[in-house]
Amino acid sequence: MRWALATTSSHKRAGPYPTAVPVHAEYLHDVAFIHKWINVMPLLYYLGQIFKMASTFSLIVASIERYCMTKHWTFTGFESRTRWIVLVLVVIVAVLLKIVTNYD
């Protein structure tokens, strides 16, 4: 993505450096909307990272369940309650890992 420097004289800058915004923003005339979007973007980025980790962990758990089903013929898979507990644990682990590794 190409970046440009925002050069609007009507907006006060927070620091000595100009704010970097996407080139697409030059077509938008609502500077307040652009700054709100820039403030919300880190939260959306972290949520995306958490969803990706939780998705990967869920695939690992599903693979383990499938392996257990093929390894022993009496295993019929996890019960519904166990699946929900594992899903909640997977989301908690993903959130905790993102909190611990928040140095991106």
Side-chain angles (χ1 to χ4, degrees):
M1 177 183 281
R2 293 177 27 188
W3 292 85
L5 296 176
T7 57
T8 58
S9 59
S10 64
H11 180 70
K12 295 180 183 177
R13 290 182 286 189
Y17 303 106
T19 306
V21 296
V23 173
H24 303 292
E26 71 186 44
Y27 299 107
L28 297 174
H29 299 291
D30 190 4
V31 178
F33 174 76
I34 295 168
H35 288 286
K36 286 178 187 173
W37 175 255
I38 289 173
N39 289 334
V40 169
M41 209 44 223
L43 175 65
L44 295 177
Y45 173 76
Y46 289 129
L47 287 176
Q49 293 293 317
I50 289 169
F51 285 136
K52 282 194 273 186
M53 281 192 287
S55 174
T56 303
F57 294 154
S58 296
L59 285 173
I60 291 170
V61 170
S63 298
I64 291 170
E65 180 185 18
R66 184 68 56 98
Y67 172 75
C68 291
M69 288 176 71
T70 58
K71 185 177 179 186
H72 199 273
W73 61 276
T74 58
F75 184 75
T76 57
F78 297 142
E79 295 177 3
S80 179
R81 181 178 178 195
T82 306
R83 286 183 183 151
W84 279 105
I85 291 172
V86 169
L87 182 62
V88 168
L89 288 176
V90 160
V91 171
I92 290 172
V93 167
V95 169
L96 290 176
L97 276 176
K98 190 58 189 171
I99 289 171
V100 170
T101 60
N102 197 12
Y103 299 107
D104 286 331

